[in-house]
Amino acid sequence: MTSTSSGFQPAAVMEKRTAAMSSSKLMELPYEILLLIFSKLPARSILQFQCVSKSSRNLVNNPALAAMHMAATNEHIDVEVRSLPFSYKNHLRFVSCGLLGFKYFGQVDGKLGLYNPLRREYLWLPQPEYIHDMFSERYGMGFDSVTNSHKIVHFLSRGFPERPNRWVARVHVLGTGSWRRIPLCSFTTVEVGNAYAYGEMHWLVDGNQIMSFNFREEEFRWTINPPPVTFRSSFARHFLINLRGSLALVDVVYSEKKVEIWMYKEQKYWTKDYCMPLDCCSGGYSNFAVGAWEHGIYIIIYEDYCIDQSLKYPTVVYYDLRCDNKKEHCRYQEQLHLFSSTGSLISLKQYDNVRTNSEKNFFDAGECDFPECVSELLKAPRVK
């Protein structure tokens, strides 16, 4: 159907013109207002908007919008849970700022890379100083609001636990070509996993202390007043996560079949906000992993020493904290690794100029092979 002399227009044409007019009027707003509006939207929706016009694409790719969006996503408006084959678990070293940090032990000799699942971009980072007697290592990533830069902190242990002063720390500013040594707190052991909250990265160390790294001041320090839970118990496991923008400690006590969530309020005091039953645990020895999803937390239960061989496959319990701790169980028929991530607008292309000419990566127009671990990250499905 075509337009008539009376001015009648088909519905599809009218809708298209209305959308174009709305977009035009929206982009006429002051730039600061546009940045504020877009920073409140989910990252996936923002990236779709860059296809509307050249001005909207420039707005979406503005690093200032990426910084504002990350600061505004404390409520995890677009958090996703993804799964990986269990064999690739050790490749994924950290998830922070919506980026995945992975280490590939192949052609690049263990170099660290960053990957943005939404933009489908990845970037190799400069190789840090080699330490031949490295025993274990931890990573974290955060944002410095003063210099508008992203930083990656890395600390590792040298030799065995009885060796004094064995931990070494260094920091890398994204966009530069090197790492710098920095002082580190004194501790012996550190748990696997970390949580980024309040502009700092947090780790649980020595069983009952929380060590934090401030990305603006580039220093490690202790978080005051750990929650009053029974640390170092053979019947409990503890995990730090970011829950709705706050630092939270999840206490999984499988001997009592319960889960408690302690929240660090206003960076001053801890409160126990939730206490929930864990009724899918057989009572035998179990390994756990904990993460956040859009409306609460999930717990992965690996029961390795059970008579029922089917229990060797993970069971995932999703707790919906909006509606009286509603639970949903999911039993998988394969070993897998889950991780949660919020969307990120950070474009890794803008940092691609720091690599040397001899290095190749994703932006070389297909001139290099995709690392196998990155290919799996690209295919990592979202968990509904």
Side-chain angles (χ1 to χ4, degrees):
M1 182 182 294
T2 60
S3 60
T4 64
S5 59
S6 62
F8 174 76
Q9 297 286 342
V13 175
M14 292 297 294
E15 290 179 0
K16 185 176 181 179
R17 289 184 177 179
T18 301
M21 293 175 60
S22 300
S23 174
S24 177
K25 291 181 179 179
L26 175 64
M27 298 306 296
E28 292 176 359
L29 292 173
Y31 202 76
E32 294 76 10
I33 301 299
L34 287 174
L35 288 175
L36 182 61
I37 293 174
F38 275 64
S39 67
K40 305 296 183 181
L41 301 175
R44 192 176 296 275
S45 301
I46 298 175
L47 289 177
Q48 292 175 348
F49 193 76
Q50 69 179 336
C51 302
V52 174
S53 65
K54 183 178 180 180
S55 58
S56 64
R57 182 174 67 251
N58 293 335
L59 175 68
V60 171
N61 293 323
N62 189 335
L65 177 59
M68 294 178 62
H69 182 266
M70 186 176 63
T73 53
N74 283 337
E75 296 300 324
H76 284 209
I77 56 177
D78 55 353
V79 67
E80 296 179 346
V81 179
R82 291 174 175 253
S83 64
L84 274 177
F86 197 76
S87 58
Y88 289 92
K89 176 183 178 181
N90 291 330
H91 288 301
L92 187 61
R93 294 307 175 95
F94 66 87
V95 182
S96 185
C97 302
L99 301 180
L100 312 182
F102 61 92
K103 204 165 188 181
Y104 181 58
F105 298 96
Q107 301 173 4
V108 291
D109 298 325
K111 288 183 64 175
L112 183 70
L114 291 179
Y115 170 62
N116 187 330
L118 288 187
R119 289 186 177 270
R120 299 175 69 85
E121 300 173 358
Y122 83 87
L123 175 72
W124 294 122
L125 298 180
Q127 189 81 309
E129 172 192 358
Y130 177 72
I131 297 180
H132 71 279
D133 57 346
M134 183 188 75
F135 186 73
S136 64
E137 60 181 349
R138 299 290 186 270
Y139 288 93
M141 182 173 179
F143 181 70
D144 182 350
S145 59
V146 175
T147 60
N148 288 329
S149 60
H150 293 87
K151 299 178 180 180
I152 300 173
V153 62
H154 173 221
F155 59 96
L156 55 88
S157 64
R158 307 176 62 181
F160 294 96
E162 62 271 11
R163 177 174 177 174
N165 302 320
R166 66 191 185 98
W167 290 97
V168 177
R170 45 203 175 187
V171 66
H172 169 71
V173 179
L174 199 60
T176 63
S178 63
W179 296 74
R180 289 181 286 105
R181 287 278 191 103
I182 55 175
L184 183 63
C185 296
S186 177
F187 61 91
T188 303
T189 60
V190 57
E191 298 294 331
V192 176
N194 52 30
Y196 181 67
Y198 315 125
E200 299 183 348
M201 188 64 71
H202 309 271
W203 292 267
L204 188 64
V205 301
D206 288 343
N208 61 350
Q209 297 185 76
I210 298 176
M211 182 181 68
S212 305
F213 180 77
N214 184 287
F215 287 91
R216 178 170 57 86
E217 300 176 3
E218 294 187 3
E219 68 175 16
F220 289 89
R221 54 195 180 197
W222 301 109
T223 293
I224 302 174
N225 301 327
V229 300
T230 306
F231 288 99
R232 283 200 175 277
S233 170
S234 59
F235 302 104
R237 292 291 305 277
H238 311 95
F239 304 88
L240 292 177
I241 64 171
N242 183 311
L243 183 60
R244 299 170 179 171
S246 298
L247 179 64
L249 186 140
V250 181
D251 185 14
V252 181
V253 188
Y254 65 85
S255 61
E256 302 179 20
K257 295 187 177 181
K258 69 176 183 179
V259 179
E260 297 180 347
I261 302 179
W262 293 79
M263 307 292 293
Y264 192 40
K265 299 295 183 65
E266 302 177 5
Q267 296 180 264
K268 296 180 180 179
Y269 58 93
W270 293 88
T271 62
K272 184 169 66 174
D273 284 8
Y274 303 95
C275 184
M276 305 162 293
L278 184 66
D279 52 10
C280 62
C281 187
S282 67
Y285 178 81
S286 300
N287 289 318
F288 300 94
V290 174
W293 66 290
E294 186 177 5
H295 302 303
I297 70 168
Y298 63 86
I299 300 178
I300 311 174
I301 305 172
Y302 301 96
E303 300 186 73
D304 296 325
Y305 305 105
C306 302
I307 298 178
D308 186 356
Q309 294 297 313
S310 66
L311 293 178
K312 289 188 176 182
Y313 296 115
T315 297
V316 182
V317 185
Y318 291 90
Y319 290 93
D320 191 333
L321 302 181
R322 301 171 301 170
C323 47
D324 196 25
N325 300 333
K326 179 183 178 181
K327 301 183 296 298
E328 180 179 349
H329 296 189
C330 181
R331 172 66 55 78
Y332 289 90
Q333 296 303 313
E334 59 178 341
Q335 292 282 7
L336 50 79
H337 175 64
L338 298 183
F339 62 91
S340 54
S341 173
T342 55
S344 173
L345 298 178
I346 300 173
S347 175
L348 297 177
K349 285 185 178 181
Q350 62 181 308
Y351 301 108
D352 192 38
N353 59 348
V354 301
R355 63 190 177 88
T356 63
N357 293 329
S358 62
E359 294 176 312
K360 294 182 178 181
N361 68 6
F362 175 66
F363 306 115
D364 285 322
E367 294 180 5
C368 67
D369 295 330
F370 227 37
E372 186 178 6
C373 64
V374 184
S375 300
E376 291 297 328
L377 290 173
L378 280 172
K379 297 183 293 184
R382 285 184 290 164
V383 179
K384 303 295 184 180

